Amino acid sequence: MFRPLSLVITILCLPFLLIAQLSIHIQSLSSNTPYESNIFIAGNFNDWASGSPDYQLQANELGVLEIDLDLAPGIIQFKFTRGSWDTVEGAADGDFIPNRIYEYSGGLDTVRLS
């Protein structure tokens, strides 16, 4: 027999069963990135906001910069900045690089970058 309490518990637990989170980790930064720079992620998931505090990566206990994004499955495009499009990531010689692209299938996933 299905009880009302069981229904309430199921409804309350449902969000935990539908967790969809993409973690982005930057293992190391380019040698020409100023020490202690704030690093942000901008992409098609946040209207390409280049310096939004909600999208600033944080160093974990190992010094890896990371951010967890709650996203719907799909193709994401993104770049890293130091807070503005004047300081967007580029190639080693300073030239433009295309957007990073990742096909996110949902659930818990981690992308590790250098």
Side-chain angles (χ1 to χ4, degrees):
M1 183 172 152
F2 194 69
R3 295 186 222 169
L5 180 58
S6 297
L7 179 60
V8 170
I9 291 171
T10 302
I11 291 171
L12 291 175
C13 292
L14 190 59
F16 297 105
L17 299 174
L18 300 175
I19 293 173
Q21 189 173 71
L22 178 63
S23 293
I24 308 264
H25 294 194
I26 299 178
Q27 306 297 120
S28 62
L29 294 173
S30 166
S31 61
N32 63 352
T33 301
Y35 181 70
E36 294 190 14
S37 292
N38 292 322
I39 305 296
F40 300 84
I41 188 169
N44 61 349
F45 48 85
N46 70 350
D47 293 325
W48 294 96
S50 63
S52 171
D54 292 336
Y55 292 92
Q56 181 176 349
L57 283 76
Q58 301 296 321
N60 67 18
E61 63 278 356
L62 301 174
V64 173
L65 293 174
E66 62 183 13
I67 188 166
D68 295 328
L69 304 170
D70 297 320
L71 301 174
I75 295 175
I76 64 165
Q77 295 188 42
F78 61 98
K79 288 185 180 276
F80 296 103
T81 76
R82 290 191 325 236
S84 78
W85 289 112
D86 293 333
T87 56
V88 68
E89 66 178 316
D93 61 4
D95 281 346
F96 171 83
I97 60 170
N99 295 342
R100 295 174 184 265
I101 298 174
Y102 185 76
E103 188 169 350
Y104 175 54
S105 59
L108 298 175
D109 197 359
T110 301
V111 176
R112 290 175 176 83
L113 303 166
S114 294

